[in-house]
């Protein structure tokens, strides 16, 4: 199949074939990243803008490196040093960046729907790098890529997402991606952070950690999203950790080949202890590495690249 989308705004609107195309294209770009010369000319002459209105380490740097590896010109927009501080609107900011001939605007914003808003009036392609608690599509794509790499398949796997589901854009995008690809997704955490309404997305919901991890092939841990919570959702971090934190004793209750994932940043000693986060079952840093290949694939496809075979030849 060919990629036909001008924007990447969410996973919800993608079908399984489109997700598979990104994953197979990313596989080709991961091979490119293992060559002596890692740079390809695919986006020569294109301009990519990183418009991050919320903090980021992994997503911003990997999008920047992905664009550089594809030979694009890259502008990293700094909110702190911009005319946002003088009251300029998001719409005006984006239109001014487009007036500099931006071909792609990658946006992270605390408001759900900000990328969809920009896509309504920009000619440039818009990529959602995380919008509020709504979606984080490239995180879900790199998570799916990592699972496929580790397990050889996604269909039929038991994937447990553990932690703050309610406020997590990663959880929503992962649920869409993994269920479309045939995984069985279980959500677990305190009832206030994992309401049963998520069952409507095709997931199993449990508040019992032992039940959630026993049959899991993958456990994806999420941090508590304090920045989005408007009220206290559980009595204390200590209580959260004692009920839902992953540690050596709990890891012993899982399958011996379970894979532990985390999108980062980790709150060490809260959702996972350091020994487990850095242990042999953890693929957390491999997720970061795979994020580069996945973001190269997304930039390539959005700019008219068509097939993994074409990718291998660039
Ligand atoms: N996973 C993720 O989005 O990390 P950053 O916030 O550092 O980009």
């Amino acid at each position: 199949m060919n990629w036909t989308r001008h924007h990447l705004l969410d996973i919800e609107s993608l079908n399984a074939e489109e997700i598979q195309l990104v994953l197979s294209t990313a596989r080709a770009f991961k091979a490119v990243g293992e060559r002596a010369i890692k740079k390809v000319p695919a986006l020569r002459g294109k301009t990519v803008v990183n418009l991050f209105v919320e903090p980021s380490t992994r997503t911003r740097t990997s999008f920047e490196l992905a664009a550089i590896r594809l030979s694009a010109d890259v502008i990293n927009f700094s909110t702190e040093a911009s005319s946002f501080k003088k009251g300029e609107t998001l719409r005006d900011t984006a239109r001014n960046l487009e007036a500099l001939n931006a071909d792609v605007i990658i946006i992270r914003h605390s408001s759900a729907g900000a990328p969809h808003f920009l896509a309504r009036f920009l000619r440039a392609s818009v990529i959602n790098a995380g919008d509020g608690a709504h979606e984080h599509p490239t995180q879900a794509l790199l998570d799916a890529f990592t699972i496929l790499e580790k397990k050889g398949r996604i269909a039929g796997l038991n994937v447990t997402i553990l932690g703050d589901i309610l406020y997590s854009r990663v959880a929503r995008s992962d649920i869409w991606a993994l269920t479309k690809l045939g995984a069985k997704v279980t959500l677990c955490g305190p009832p206030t952070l994992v309401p049963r309404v998520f069952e409507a997305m095709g997931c199993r919901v449990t508040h019992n950690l032992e039940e959630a991890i026993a049959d899991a092939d993958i456990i994806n841990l999420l941090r508590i999203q304090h920045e989005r919570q408007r009220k206290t959702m559980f009595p204390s971090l200590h209580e959260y950790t004692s009920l839902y934190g992953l540690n050596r004793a709990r890891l012993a209750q899982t399958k011996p080949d379970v894979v532990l994932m985390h999108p980062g940043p980790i709150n060490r000693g809260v959702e996972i202890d350091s020994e487990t986060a850095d242990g042999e079952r953890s693929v957390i840093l491999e997720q970061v590495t795979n994020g580069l290949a996945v973001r190269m694939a997304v930039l390539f496809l959005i700019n008219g690249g068509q097939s993994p075979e074409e990718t291998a030849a660039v």
Side-chain angles (χ1 to χ4, degrees):
M1 76 162 292
N2 287 344
W3 184 265
T4 56
R5 292 177 187 268
H6 187 54
H7 309 290
L8 177 63
L9 301 177
D10 52 44
I11 298 289
E12 181 179 2
S13 63
L14 299 187
N15 60 40
E17 289 71 32
E18 290 172 302
I19 296 170
Q20 298 282 13
L21 178 60
V22 177
L23 301 183
S24 55
T25 307
R27 205 154 36 244
F29 276 118
K30 187 155 183 186
V32 169
E34 285 155 8
R35 295 182 194 162
I37 296 172
K38 299 173 169 54
K39 204 160 170 170
V40 295
L43 264 63
R44 197 157 49 194
K46 301 278 186 183
T47 301
V48 173
V49 177
N50 266 327
L51 174 51
F52 278 59
V53 189
E54 256 197 351
S56 167
T57 295
R58 285 145 286 267
T59 312
R60 194 188 62 72
T61 52
S62 60
F63 262 123
E64 180 181 355
L65 187 55
I68 291 169
R69 290 270 173 92
L70 292 166
S71 303
D73 297 317
V74 189
I75 298 170
N76 285 312
F77 178 88
S78 160
T79 315
E80 288 303 307
S82 77
S83 290
F84 255 109
K85 290 285 173 193
K86 302 174 202 162
E88 191 163 29
T89 64
L90 177 64
R91 180 190 175 96
D92 284 340
T93 303
R95 293 192 72 216
N96 278 272
L97 292 168
E98 188 176 61
L100 294 170
N101 287 325
D103 297 288
V104 183
I105 295 184
I106 301 162
I107 178 169
R108 169 170 288 191
H109 201 283
S110 56
S111 295
H116 304 70
F117 170 68
L118 295 191
R120 277 170 31 202
F121 57 84
L122 290 181
R123 289 184 313 278
S125 291
V126 177
I127 297 177
N128 181 359
D131 62 327
H134 176 228
E135 280 223 35
H136 191 347
T138 56
Q139 180 69 46
L141 292 166
L142 77 88
D143 287 348
F145 184 90
T146 305
I147 293 171
L148 205 50
E149 208 175 52
K150 290 290 153 193
K151 294 288 187 185
R153 67 187 170 102
I154 291 177
L157 290 182
N158 292 322
V159 180
T160 290
I161 308 178
L162 175 59
D164 177 356
I165 309 294
L166 185 61
Y167 292 97
S168 171
R169 54 193 173 211
V170 174
R172 283 171 183 75
S173 288
D174 275 355
I175 292 166
W176 286 122
L178 296 173
T179 54
K180 283 171 197 267
L181 297 175
K184 291 176 270 181
V185 177
T186 295
L187 308 177
C188 181
T192 47
L193 294 177
V194 191
R196 296 220 170 264
V197 69
F198 279 97
E199 287 170 348
M201 292 180 77
C203 305
R204 179 171 71 124
V205 168
T206 175
H207 306 117
N208 180 313
L209 179 78
E210 283 67 32
E211 188 184 315
I213 64 176
D215 293 333
D217 299 296
I218 308 286
I219 301 175
N220 192 12
L221 294 133
L222 301 178
R223 73 182 171 91
I224 305 296
Q225 313 267 313
H226 292 291
E227 70 273 29
R228 281 181 242 294
Q229 294 181 7
R230 292 198 182 86
K231 55 187 178 187
T232 307
M233 305 302 284
F234 45 83
S236 70
L237 275 184
H238 177 75
E239 179 171 305
Y240 177 84
T241 303
S242 67
L243 286 172
Y244 295 105
L246 201 61
N247 53 30
R248 186 200 291 205
R250 286 184 170 141
L251 193 60
Q253 300 169 32
T254 63
K255 287 184 171 179
D257 61 348
V258 70
V259 169
L260 303 181
M261 302 175 68
H262 194 308
I266 300 171
N267 288 146
R268 289 175 180 266
V270 181
E271 68 271 13
I272 187 168
D273 68 4
S274 279
E275 180 190 6
T276 312
D278 301 330
E280 61 176 13
R281 307 284 0 134
S282 166
V283 298
I284 295 170
L285 292 177
E286 290 175 68
Q287 289 174 261
V288 179
T289 304
N290 290 337
L292 175 59
V294 164
R295 289 175 177 125
M296 286 176 80
V298 167
L299 285 168
F300 177 76
L301 293 170
I302 288 280
N303 279 284
Q306 285 302 346
S307 67
E309 292 72 30
E310 185 188 344
T311 320
V314 291

